[in-house]
Amino acid sequence: MSYSLEQVQQASRLFFELLRKKVLPLDDPAAAECLQDTASYDALQYVAKEAGCRVMNSGHRLHLLVNPLGSVFATNFTQLKNKYSRIERKTHLHTINIIILVFLAEMDQDETNFKPGQDSMSYIQIADQVSSLFQAWIQMDEDGRFSRQWQLDIQAMHKVWSSLYMQTKSQGESDLLSRGANSRIGLIHEGMKLLEEEKLVFISEQEKRIFPREELYERMRYLYHDVDRYQELRGLIGRTLAEKEGEVHAAD
């Protein structure tokens, strides 16, 4: 299909605006202009595809998604390390992935009753849940079979997490979240900043809490729920934490 110069210009304007902002409401002038013309919107998808990206329309917002492979905008580990100096090794990145999944699993339970400004998790809550996960998983991974089954390097991630110190509640309330290069709260903050830069969460540094944005629920509904790996790990995290909680109640 051929596109006119005007259609290509409209598509290009919107693509670069999405590249800059990650997410745009449908009533944004650049989005509205392009969406009024089917050919211009097709041109946008073509431009995105050529760049190794795709545009997701949730019905409320446009999301720019970067393909993990074959995209000129894909971020490899070296680039990520340069951008986030705290991420020193791939194992730290893998641990951050688990931290993010713990947050997503907690938020991805009842999206129909999402309460903007009320649903949230504190940094201490995330730290406690990640600790519970690694405690349970390391016990199941004595022979490495659990790691192989789930394609997770449990031993290495547990070593990283155990090497980080945990602030007390009073320290967590008084220290800045960006402090503590060797702290669990600091590593959690790195993971949450990745979500914040994608416009998916709001971080309240004063409250030490992470609040999901509506954009996060759109991303889960129209993207993550179709990813088998996400669903598998989300289920594993949910089962593990439920079992740990059951053990605590039984002990009481």
Side-chain angles (χ1 to χ4, degrees):
M1 181 177 181
S2 60
Y3 305 106
S4 69
L5 177 60
E6 182 181 0
Q7 290 165 342
V8 172
Q9 288 174 335
Q10 287 178 349
S12 298
R13 280 196 296 270
L14 179 52
F15 176 77
F16 285 106
E17 188 69 3
L18 279 168
L19 195 61
R20 187 170 68 89
K21 294 186 176 179
K22 312 295 185 184
V23 180
L24 282 176
L26 296 188
D27 59 1
D28 180 273
E33 179 186 42
C34 190
L35 290 170
Q36 287 175 359
D37 185 347
T38 302
S40 295
Y41 186 69
D42 288 343
L44 169 68
Q45 296 288 4
Y46 177 79
V47 171
K49 181 180 178 182
E50 289 299 300
C53 306
R54 60 192 177 99
V55 176
M56 184 188 82
N57 187 340
S58 72
H60 298 282
R61 278 164 280 270
L62 295 178
H63 297 240
L64 182 64
L65 309 177
V66 177
N67 297 332
L69 298 175
S71 173
V72 296
F73 300 106
T75 305
N76 60 33
F77 176 73
T78 302
Q79 292 170 324
L80 188 65
K81 180 178 176 181
N82 291 337
K83 186 174 182 181
Y84 301 101
S85 58
R86 277 275 290 103
I87 303 175
E88 299 173 356
R89 300 190 302 274
K90 285 188 178 180
T91 306
H92 282 77
L93 181 58
H94 296 161
T95 308
I96 284 176
N97 286 337
I98 295 299
I99 290 169
I100 291 174
L101 280 168
V102 164
F103 175 74
L104 293 180
E106 182 69 23
M107 296 299 106
D108 195 5
Q109 294 188 40
D110 188 8
E111 64 180 70
T112 58
N113 292 320
F114 168 56
K115 303 177 184 64
Q118 297 182 36
D119 291 347
S120 65
M121 282 187 81
S122 72
Y123 279 74
I124 298 296
Q125 284 176 308
I126 295 177
D128 288 344
Q129 290 195 9
V130 173
S131 294
S132 294
L133 278 181
F134 285 137
Q135 288 171 8
W137 289 353
I138 202 70
Q139 292 174 359
M140 294 185 282
D141 196 50
E142 292 183 359
D143 58 358
R145 188 177 304 174
F146 184 82
S147 285
R148 292 191 296 272
Q149 176 186 355
W150 291 98
Q151 299 178 347
L152 296 169
D153 194 345
I154 303 300
Q155 302 290 336
M157 289 191 294
H158 180 263
K159 184 177 180 179
V160 166
W161 187 252
S162 300
S163 70
L164 302 173
Y165 75 86
M166 179 62 196
Q167 289 103 321
T168 63
K169 185 174 181 181
S170 60
Q171 288 174 325
E173 291 173 348
S174 62
D175 290 348
L176 293 174
L177 292 173
S178 56
R179 289 181 183 173
N182 296 312
S183 74
R184 294 177 181 180
I185 296 299
L187 193 64
I188 291 170
H189 190 54
E190 291 293 342
M192 295 303 103
K193 289 295 289 183
L194 294 176
L195 294 180
E196 185 183 53
E197 290 185 5
E198 289 296 311
K199 316 297 184 185
L200 302 178
V201 302
F202 166 74
I203 297 174
S204 172
E205 299 208 16
Q206 182 177 4
E207 298 178 71
K208 308 297 187 293
R209 300 190 73 84
I210 308 98
F211 295 84
R213 297 168 63 103
E214 291 187 15
E215 290 85 341
L216 176 65
Y217 286 90
E218 291 178 356
R219 192 73 61 91
M220 288 191 295
R221 188 182 307 121
Y222 296 105
L223 179 64
Y224 301 163
H225 287 177
D226 291 330
V227 178
D228 291 341
R229 180 66 170 168
Y230 167 76
Q231 294 285 36
E232 290 171 358
L233 291 178
R234 173 192 168 214
L236 174 63
I237 288 170
R239 291 192 300 272
T240 303
L241 292 176
E243 289 170 4
K244 289 291 290 184
E245 186 176 353
E247 292 174 4
V248 171
H249 289 322
D252 293 341

